[in-house]
Amino acid sequence: MFGWEFPPHILGGLGTASYGLTKGMWENGDMDITFVIPKPWGDEDRQFAHIIGANSTPVVWRDVNWDYVQNRIGNVMDPQMYYDLRDHIYADFNYMRTNDLGCIEFSGRYPDNLLEEINNYSIVAGVIARTVPCDVIHSHDWLTYPAGIHAKQVTGKPLVIHVHATDFDRSRGNVNPTVYGIERDGMNNADHIITVSELTRRTVIEKYGQDPAKVTTVHNAVEPLSEEIRNIKMQHGKDKVITFLGRITMQKGPEYFVEAASMVLHKTHNVRFVMAGSGDMMEKMIRLAADRDIADRFHFTGFLRGRQVYEMLAASDVYVMPSVSEPFGISPLEAMQMGCPSIISKQSGCAEILENVIKVDYWDIHAMADAMFALVNYPALHNHLRDKGLAEIDTIQWKKAGAKVINIYNQVINNRK
Amino acid sequence: MKAICFYFQIHQPFRLKTYRFFNIGNDHYYYDDFANDEIITRIAHRSYLPANQTLLEMINASNKQFKVAFSISGTALEQLEQYVPEFIESMKELVATGCVEFLSETYAHSLASLKETEEFIEQVKQHDEKIFQLFGQRPTVFRNTELIYSDDISAVVASMGFKAAITDGAKHILGWKSPNYVYSSAAAPQLKLLLKNSKMSDDISFRFSNPDWNDYPLTADKYIDWIANLPQEEQIVNLFMNYETLGELQPRESGIFEFMKALPRFAAERGIEFWTPSETVAKLKSVGELSVPYPMSWADEARDTSAWLGNDLQNEAFNKLYSVAERVNLCTDRRLKQDWMYLQASDHFYYMSTKHLNDGAVHSHYSPYESPFQAFMNYMNVLSDFIVRVEEQYPLSIENEELNSLLTTIRNQSKEIEQLNREISLLRTNIINSEDEDKAAESQKAAAKTTAAKKPAARKTPAKKTAAKE
């Protein structure tokens, strides 16, 4: 498997989903998974997958002794692995900038020279593919498609690509031609395409011209929360709290949240709104809230991480995700786990599988405001969604998603025979 | 001797329009006129009208041997009067044959029988009055909303003077017994019970046009054969269904109308008659008592009331609605009373059902809402506005009892005022009479003495003042 993020060091939903899926597949048994990420930190969960760091895979021969390797990258990789990989360097990459171990450095983030990193990642993938035997290659999101294609060419094994998002979701239609090119190339070369929702599946078929028979939806799931997180209890004040949580960008539809909030606040006063997260539209939203004259009851928290996210959800009475286009959207599932009822846009992939949430069109701010009002004013609805939501979320398991993916693997392997 | 008892139900609720929370307190009109018009007109043209025509032909062709019963809710009647008046005319024509019987039910197709006995009785009376106005019949057999029935309800129904009630032949009540007999209520033995034969009814209403069904296609002679082959002692087969079955659930193309038309002929061949519910209870004796401690209905697999009051959303809305029942009954505002009626329709609660699996598929089919949560939100918004209006008439800060005593005082006072007014007018006539006498006397005197003519006028003013003081 090729991925870009892996918990605990994650930047978005991709890492969480990659982790959940890998673990879910492992739970189904009889799987030997190697997961490649650009830059491991050493504190990843290695119980169910071998993790190989692209930044600790040599592409240039360096004569280094065992102790030195152990000392340098022992925390992320077994030195023997390093030597195995070193035996499979397939070309002369001396022209590249490499370090003392002959490895290329990766940031593991989304830097400005992202395209260069993607390319480097693909070079590294060639070494790994020659070293680690496998039956199927699985690439998560466009960043790793070139690596997947490369590995497929080297090994001749089937390639499955996993579409967590497309550039159409990220850009509201104004796609970046380079990104589109990489995505389309990945899809064309894939033996099978897995999408995280029907919504994404349609995009892949319609916008990328893929054969529908080749595209299957496997919905994401959630990991059960740890005891510690589940026990987070926050003080609920007199006012009800309605929360938006996510990147404040065009894709997430924050302005619809502000507009709906202003409608609710002009009718009732026992409500507060929170916009948690950061993003390029944050300033605009602050100005919009002031403009609507609701700034006294509309709060911005800035970026939240880790435990803070769950504390915010525990303190909220309603969670709102008005995304304009959301391939899946894992956060309403997390809100449900914390017992916080959600309002989600019909344009998000998770709306396809969730029952105990309120679904509205992202642009229908009247309906959104109405749902907010109902959830804070009619306790029966709030309690119903909370209790049934908790029960529902227990049935959405990665293990089931993993089984579906394994099924697809078997299918592509059989097609090869 | 065997007989078939046909009974059709017609009900349409007043569907609510999308009512946002910012309308609360501003907009007091709750109904989606367009949808209501569209739906009832469509169903009437696809089903009610051609079905009426079919039944009329059947009655005439069978020489009035074919008989049928209807229960039409008050809200459906109102909509039909408003949007499809030709249906009322066609119904009157059907009634004129003398082969049609109307059943009693609640005006609003409400669930009041489960909560508010007084409201329930009031609605039944109102419904029967409406039927009498339109069709000149006074129903003698009662059928509750969705065939909801329990011992408690049967006692109330019997106390209203009904001879019989109709309910479902649910397995958990009947056990090994057959629905093809007349039973009586355990709580009120004088009240006879007619039980729906679910299998035979559903053969027509659900399975008729299903090609996967073993017995597809169902023909009239096959159907009548089944009935004729029932054990000798089982004398009555109660076929209860929605009227939409004819033409809407089973579309015209399925041949449902032809199937119906052929029934009387084959029935006559096998010596099977058609009886109305009241005829049935008059002709057959009860074979035993049935006890139903918990309310049952004809809906879903469980035959209980969970389709309307099965989750906490439905219960919350239901309890909130009836929390103002007493208040509304004190009100005299006509529009408020009307909304009160429309809001009680069981359909609003049905839309909030969250029974997604198996039965849920049927629920969502009839709902104008995308999800039960939307149904709940919309209803609660409307209800909130309604309660605000009730409060405007009688503030909630006053206890019901206190309010009652205040209202009694007001009523007593108005009675007193009335009485006093009557006294005034009495006194006035007395005065006028006496004046007349005076005049008569004066005119006699005038002949003798013309100068005293102005005196009576002067006396009139003080007399008036004393009257006003009283």
Side-chain angles (χ1 to χ4, degrees):
Chain A
M1 270 196 198
F2 294 102
W4 202 257
E5 296 181 21
F6 206 76
H9 300 277
I10 55 168
L11 298 154
L14 176 61
T16 321
S18 310
Y19 171 85
L21 182 68
T22 313
K23 193 172 172 198
M25 286 166 65
W26 172 76
E27 281 168 3
N28 280 287
D30 201 23
M31 297 292 292
D32 183 9
I33 304 168
T34 302
F35 202 101
V36 182
I37 46 174
K39 185 184 181 185
W41 293 77
D43 51 357
E44 286 84 6
D45 189 349
R46 286 152 189 273
Q47 188 191 352
F48 47 86
H50 313 287
I51 289 176
I52 297 181
N55 67 343
S56 43
T57 301
V59 293
V60 175
W61 179 277
R62 292 275 195 278
D63 190 12
V64 280
N65 66 32
W66 181 284
D67 288 339
Y68 186 71
V69 176
Q70 172 69 33
N71 186 28
R72 279 280 278 111
I73 54 167
N75 61 332
V76 295
M77 198 202 273
D78 180 15
Q80 184 55 45
M81 190 70 195
Y82 172 82
Y83 291 116
D84 289 348
L85 290 164
R86 199 180 61 174
D87 289 341
H88 290 91
I89 293 171
Y90 57 96
D92 185 4
F93 290 109
N94 268 316
Y95 66 91
M96 309 261 323
R97 201 170 51 202
T98 52
N99 62 11
D100 50 341
L101 291 173
C103 304
I104 304 168
E105 293 289 349
F106 284 90
S107 73
R109 300 176 160 268
Y110 300 95
D112 292 338
N113 62 340
L114 186 58
L115 292 174
E116 189 191 330
E117 273 208 1
I118 292 170
N119 189 38
N120 292 346
Y121 186 78
S122 154
I123 291 171
V124 171
V127 175
I128 295 168
R130 282 171 172 83
T131 315
V132 184
C134 69
D135 296 308
V136 179
I137 303 152
H138 191 141
S139 285
H140 290 279
D141 242 9
W142 69 282
L143 303 144
T144 70
Y145 294 167
I149 298 170
H150 189 174
K152 179 182 173 177
Q153 284 161 351
V154 170
T155 60
K157 298 293 182 187
L159 168 66
V160 173
I161 66 163
H162 207 121
V163 184
H164 294 266
T166 65
D167 210 42
F168 284 91
D169 304 309
R170 288 182 288 262
S171 64
R172 271 197 203 176
N174 298 320
V175 282
N176 178 332
T178 318
V179 176
Y180 178 84
I182 293 174
E183 287 179 332
R184 197 180 144 94
D185 197 34
M187 293 177 194
N188 288 343
N189 281 289
D191 293 82
H192 209 91
I193 302 167
I194 296 174
T195 55
V196 291
S197 64
E198 280 300 310
L199 195 81
T200 313
R201 181 169 181 268
R202 277 198 300 279
T203 312
V204 167
I205 293 168
E206 287 162 14
K207 303 276 205 272
Y208 293 85
Q210 297 301 312
D211 173 10
K214 200 172 110 173
V215 194
T216 309
T217 299
V218 176
H219 286 108
N220 283 345
V222 276
E223 279 288 297
L225 294 178
S226 67
E227 195 71 29
E228 182 200 348
I229 298 224
R230 241 181 303 145
N231 287 335
I232 296 178
K233 289 278 178 295
M234 300 296 282
Q235 198 87 37
H236 280 257
K238 258 193 300 182
D239 290 341
K240 301 279 183 181
V241 178
I242 300 180
T243 305
F244 169 103
L245 204 158
R247 275 178 295 124
I248 306 178
T249 58
M250 191 163 63
Q251 183 196 348
K252 306 289 179 186
E255 67 270 38
Y256 302 104
F257 180 74
V258 181
E259 294 289 0
S262 116
M263 285 182 166
V264 174
L265 284 173
H266 283 115
K267 187 83 184 180
T268 47
H269 293 291
N270 60 340
V271 192
R272 284 182 188 279
F273 289 83
V274 176
M275 186 168 267
S278 59
D280 55 8
M281 277 175 76
M282 183 156 167
E283 268 180 40
K284 207 173 151 195
M285 289 306 114
I286 295 174
R287 252 180 278 128
L288 184 63
D291 212 40
R292 293 285 178 272
D293 202 16
I294 53 170
D296 57 329
R297 292 195 159 258
F298 199 101
H299 312 281
F300 292 85
T301 64
F303 187 76
L304 301 181
R305 68 183 75 229
R307 190 186 158 90
Q308 290 175 320
V309 171
Y310 293 102
E311 283 173 353
M312 187 67 240
L313 289 173
S316 306
D317 296 279
V318 181
Y319 173 74
V320 186
M321 185 177 78
S323 294
V324 172
S325 173
E326 187 74 62
F328 186 78
I330 206 110
S331 56
L333 281 73
E334 290 170 342
M336 281 165 97
Q337 286 181 310
M338 295 302 291
C340 178
S342 301
I343 302 169
I344 61 176
S345 73
K346 288 180 193 166
Q347 287 71 21
S348 46
C350 59
E352 291 165 17
I353 55 163
L354 294 180
E355 293 274 3
N356 291 291
V357 292
I358 295 175
K359 301 168 195 174
V360 297
D361 283 306
Y362 72 86
W363 42 261
D364 194 350
I365 48 175
H366 293 91
M368 197 185 297
D370 207 32
M372 290 171 173
F373 178 87
L375 275 169
V376 295
N377 277 283
Y378 307 136
L381 182 66
H382 185 275
N383 297 342
H384 182 92
L385 289 178
R386 184 191 61 208
D387 299 343
K388 300 282 155 141
L390 281 169
E392 184 185 359
I393 208 74
D394 281 343
T395 66
I396 303 175
Q397 298 164 351
W398 274 117
K399 193 179 173 187
K400 294 181 187 169
K404 283 186 197 163
V405 173
I406 292 171
N407 219 356
I408 291 168
Y409 283 0
N410 290 333
Q411 210 180 308
V412 291
I413 292 170
N414 286 333
N415 284 350
R416 273 296 161 95
K417 280 176 184 166
Chain B
M1 173 62 63
K2 280 188 201 302
I4 297 173
C5 177
F6 258 116
Y7 135 68
F8 293 108
Q9 183 212 325
I10 297 179
H11 167 62
Q12 291 297 331
F14 279 90
R15 287 164 201 81
L16 303 174
K17 66 180 179 186
T18 304
Y19 191 92
R20 303 283 187 219
F21 71 96
F22 27 79
N23 293 347
I24 298 173
N26 302 323
D27 178 3
H28 305 317
Y29 192 76
Y30 309 138
Y31 312 103
D32 189 342
D33 290 337
F34 182 80
N36 289 329
D37 183 354
E38 195 269 334
I39 290 171
I40 196 131
T41 311
R42 173 167 50 85
I43 295 180
H45 285 277
R46 282 172 61 104
S47 164
Y48 301 161
L49 287 167
N52 266 5
Q53 192 55 38
T54 308
L55 295 185
L56 189 64
E57 282 171 28
M58 288 163 74
I59 290 169
N60 291 336
S62 66
N63 211 7
K64 304 208 174 177
Q65 289 306 301
F66 182 77
K67 285 168 195 162
V68 66
F70 283 100
S71 86
I72 314 179
S73 70
T75 51
L77 280 171
E78 275 187 41
Q79 290 187 43
L80 287 162
E81 280 181 295
Q82 194 177 348
Y83 301 117
V84 204
E86 62 268 37
F87 173 80
I88 304 287
E89 291 311 309
S90 137
M91 207 66 195
K92 282 180 180 164
E93 205 181 327
L94 211 54
V95 173
T97 62
C99 299
V100 172
E101 176 180 332
F102 284 97
L103 304 181
S104 175
E105 67 168 309
T106 54
Y107 191 90
H109 200 262
S110 73
L111 303 171
S113 56
L114 298 171
K115 182 94 178 169
E116 290 279 336
T117 308
E118 278 173 39
E119 176 65 30
F120 172 61
I121 295 175
E122 188 51 45
Q123 281 188 29
V124 172
K125 283 184 185 154
Q126 209 171 327
H127 173 264
D128 292 359
E129 191 54 41
K130 180 100 185 164
I131 292 290
F132 183 72
Q133 272 176 16
L134 284 172
F135 306 113
Q137 272 192 23
R138 294 241 178 244
T140 57
V141 175
F142 181 78
R143 153 219 108 112
N144 200 6
T145 308
E146 310 286 354
L147 302 192
I148 291 172
Y149 176 84
S150 71
D151 286 346
D152 293 345
I153 296 172
S154 80
V156 178
V157 172
S159 75
M160 281 189 279
F162 288 104
K163 287 191 288 189
I166 279 176
T167 186
D168 191 82
K171 284 210 183 68
H172 69 275
I173 300 302
L174 279 176
W176 54 270
K177 299 188 202 107
S178 155
N180 304 335
Y181 292 97
V182 172
Y183 293 87
S184 62
S185 157
Q190 74 276 27
L191 188 79
K192 288 185 178 170
L193 296 179
L194 293 182
L195 305 181
K196 173 188 167 192
N197 184 322
S198 295
K199 195 257 162 199
M200 300 291 279
S201 304
D202 292 352
D203 282 343
I204 298 181
S205 52
F206 294 120
R207 288 182 280 269
F208 182 74
S209 62
N210 178 6
D212 297 332
W213 182 36
N214 289 345
D215 289 302
Y216 179 85
L218 183 64
T219 55
D221 54 345
K222 180 154 75 175
Y223 193 74
I224 293 290
D225 264 359
W226 289 347
I227 293 174
N229 291 336
L230 288 171
Q232 193 62 40
E233 312 78 55
E234 302 194 358
Q235 292 199 310
I236 182 78
V237 176
N238 294 311
L239 300 177
F240 303 159
M241 56 196 83
N242 285 319
Y243 206 27
E244 292 97 290
T245 299
L246 311 181
E248 177 83 19
L249 285 176
Q250 304 299 341
R252 175 185 283 275
E253 311 84 85
S254 70
I256 185 76
F257 291 119
E258 275 58 40
F259 169 83
M260 289 297 291
K261 271 186 211 165
L263 283 178
R265 188 162 65 81
F266 288 106
E269 275 176 16
R270 306 297 299 258
I272 295 171
E273 295 188 354
F274 290 94
W275 293 345
T276 64
S278 61
E279 256 181 294
T280 310
V281 294
K283 286 184 182 167
L284 298 179
K285 277 193 186 130
S286 160
V287 295
E289 289 184 356
L290 282 185
S291 173
V292 185
Y294 301 103
M296 57 178 264
S297 80
W298 73 350
D300 300 343
E301 206 50 48
R303 298 281 194 267
D304 56 10
T305 56
S306 64
W308 305 275
L309 300 172
N311 65 32
D312 30 9
L313 301 181
Q314 294 167 317
N315 284 313
E316 161 79 5
F318 188 67
N319 293 332
K320 219 10 126 343
L321 173 71
Y322 284 105
S323 71
V324 292
E326 265 184 75
R327 296 290 163 122
V328 180
N329 283 332
L330 296 174
C331 294
T332 49
D333 183 342
R334 201 183 61 81
R335 272 201 62 189
L336 202 69
K337 289 264 189 190
Q338 192 182 27
D339 289 333
W340 168 242
M341 205 53 107
Y342 295 169
L343 288 180
Q344 289 184 68
S346 66
D347 308 71
H348 301 307
F349 304 100
Y350 194 71
Y351 301 147
M352 300 174 201
S353 173
T354 46
K355 297 165 92 184
H356 284 296
L357 306 160
N358 303 327
D359 299 338
V362 178
H363 295 202
S364 54
H365 178 69
Y366 291 107
S367 175
Y369 299 98
E370 280 174 38
S371 75
F373 311 122
Q374 255 142 10
F376 175 79
M377 290 191 289
N378 208 47
Y379 186 80
M380 289 305 282
N381 286 346
V382 168
L383 191 57
S384 303
D385 182 72
F386 180 76
I387 291 173
V388 168
R389 283 165 62 201
V390 176
E391 270 177 50
E392 274 168 9
Q393 301 233 344
Y394 303 119
L396 282 189
S397 54
I398 309 173
E399 288 291 313
N400 269 348
E401 280 170 27
E402 198 186 342
L403 184 67
N404 257 331
S405 68
L406 285 175
L407 285 174
T408 333
T409 323
I410 293 171
R411 271 188 215 124
N412 287 347
Q413 277 174 348
S414 67
K415 264 182 209 160
E416 217 176 302
I417 291 170
E418 219 173 278
Q419 208 182 335
L420 292 176
N421 271 339
R422 223 178 293 139
E423 265 174 49
I424 292 170
S425 55
L426 208 74
L427 285 172
R428 265 191 204 148
T429 39
N430 282 349
I431 292 164
I432 293 167
N433 286 348
S434 62
E435 272 175 14
D436 284 350
E437 275 167 31
D438 284 352
K439 270 183 192 167
E442 270 163 28
S443 55
Q444 277 174 353
K445 282 176 191 170
K449 219 179 190 179
T450 41
T451 41
K454 269 188 180 174
K455 268 186 184 173
R459 218 195 301 159
K460 199 173 166 185
T461 354
K464 235 185 193 173
K465 265 183 192 164
T466 43
K469 262 181 200 168
E470 280 181 59

